[in-house]
Amino acid sequence: MGTELCTPYLIVVPKAPPPVPNHCILSNGFMAGDTQAVTKTIHTIDAAAEPAAPSALAEAFYAEAVQELSKLGLPFLLAGTYAFSAYTGITGATKDLDILCKPSDYPRILDRFKTLGYAIEIEDERWLAKIFRGEYFFDVIFASLHGVMPVSDQWFEHALRVEVFGTPVHVIAPTELIWSKAFVQLRHRYDGADIVHLILKQHDRIDWRRLLGYMDLHWEVLLVHVLNFRWAYPSEREQVPRWLMDELLGRLEQQLDLPPPRVKICHGRMLSPIDYEWAIKAWGFTDVSEGNE
């Protein structure tokens, strides 16, 4: 492998006929080759930065993968380091691509790449598969960690369009990107700082009501993340809407007056099965996935 680093080409592609105000364009198709295209408004952004592929060969692999995905005609979203860099300007080397799709579509994606000579692997049928060519690979993600939140049509409705490696694709919206990262809190990986910087740089693009809807059952996790942001950047506290803070703190105040749950559930297993394993094995707590049995 060569030592030269190549930066992926990531720009926003304008679309004719004439542009409309507020940086949006009208499109009659969701994705190149999409057989279920609908008329919708697609917003565009200027990418703040692009991560670097580890080598020219890796960049070529990523480019080919994106092109083949677009030819397949199934909706997919670019996520991971590419999306995070585009929104925040924080960049660095990336070891793979994160591709999001609906659960019903991932078998067809795997089958297509298998026929093209790629190696495929289902790492966890609840949420993650991988596609390889030699030492390079990309992730096919169809739900959040451990399958708690599947990728749904709503994730695609708010996607933004960019061009990556010369191919127009859609990038996950900031709201869904935060939602996808909210529960990634393992000892070897913590995405809380990513969420803080997405709030800092994309607060005006975050649909806070939609985010609260996603996290309604787990509102305390959202409260923790916005408190982290307020603490990390105290001069920017107003970037989190006052109504959201009032709502979350109001829920906390009401909860303090309620009795504790009868079932001893460890919600920590949603954050890290390994780090909270002892609660299940030795302390008598029920795994969150078994709480209704």
Side-chain angles (χ1 to χ4, degrees), residues 1-291:
M1 187 192 317
T3 58
E4 181 182 356
L5 294 180
C6 295
T7 302
Y9 181 62
L10 183 59
I11 61 172
V12 175
V13 180
K15 196 172 181 178
V20 294
N22 300 324
H23 301 287
C24 49
I25 58 176
L26 296 180
S27 172
N28 289 326
F30 181 79
M31 187 73 62
D34 188 359
T35 58
Q36 297 180 343
V38 295
T39 301
K40 69 188 296 290
T41 300
I42 302 176
H43 296 270
T44 65
I45 62 168
D46 292 319
E50 306 87 26
S55 69
L57 290 176
E59 182 173 316
F61 168 78
Y62 299 154
E64 182 179 344
V66 169
Q67 291 169 6
E68 292 299 337
L69 283 165
S70 296
K71 292 177 184 176
L72 186 55
L74 298 174
F76 68 91
L77 296 173
L78 186 67
T81 304
Y82 283 91
F84 180 71
S85 295
Y87 289 133
T88 67
I90 299 173
T91 188
T94 181
K95 62 183 177 65
D96 63 359
L97 285 176
D98 286 345
I99 299 297
L100 302 183
C101 69
K102 292 187 291 185
S104 58
D105 287 337
Y106 94 85
R108 285 181 280 180
I109 292 175
L110 294 185
D111 181 67
R112 171 62 175 168
F113 278 85
K114 183 179 179 180
T115 62
L116 293 173
Y118 292 75
I120 62 173
E121 176 183 291
I122 301 176
E123 183 165 317
D124 188 328
E125 66 176 5
R126 295 172 296 179
W127 70 285
L128 176 64
K130 293 179 180 290
I131 295 176
F132 297 85
R133 174 155 285 174
E135 63 185 288
Y136 305 113
F137 70 95
F138 67 92
D139 290 335
V140 180
I141 302 168
F142 42 93
S144 65
L145 189 64
H146 314 305
V148 178
M149 295 89 67
V151 176
S152 67
D153 288 331
Q154 191 171 15
W155 293 46
F156 296 90
E157 292 172 4
H158 306 282
L160 307 173
R161 176 167 289 178
V162 298
E163 183 175 299
V164 60
F165 307 121
T167 301
V169 299
H170 287 78
V171 62
I172 185 173
T175 305
E176 281 71 28
L177 187 54
I178 291 175
W179 171 227
S180 71
K181 288 177 171 290
F183 294 87
V184 182
Q185 301 185 40
L186 297 87
R187 66 177 67 183
H188 61 278
R189 179 180 172 184
Y190 172 66
D191 281 3
D194 287 359
I195 291 175
V196 165
H197 290 111
L198 284 166
I199 294 174
L200 179 68
K201 294 297 184 179
Q202 295 294 324
H203 59 93
D204 56 339
R205 286 196 177 100
I206 297 168
D207 187 325
W208 294 99
R209 295 190 184 278
R210 192 165 85 244
L211 183 60
L212 179 60
Y214 283 136
M215 304 192 69
D216 195 25
L217 185 60
H218 306 294
W219 59 268
E220 291 156 297
V221 177
L222 179 57
L223 176 59
V224 169
H225 284 301
V226 295
L227 288 176
N228 280 343
F229 171 78
R230 288 170 57 87
W231 180 84
Y233 292 103
S235 63
E236 312 303 313
R237 289 172 180 163
E238 292 185 356
Q239 292 182 0
V240 176
R242 175 61 184 265
W243 70 261
L244 179 63
M245 295 302 304
D246 289 341
E247 172 66 23
L248 295 174
L249 293 175
R251 292 187 186 193
L252 179 61
E253 184 177 7
Q254 290 179 325
Q255 187 194 65
L256 293 174
D257 294 327
L258 297 176
R262 182 181 59 82
V263 178
K264 293 171 63 68
I265 293 177
C266 178
H267 277 141
R269 297 279 285 178
M270 292 179 65
L271 306 177
S272 172
I274 295 176
D275 295 324
Y276 292 90
E277 185 177 24
W278 204 251
I280 310 303
K281 286 188 173 181
W283 297 338
F285 285 86
T286 301
D287 198 331
V288 63
S289 63
E290 303 171 353

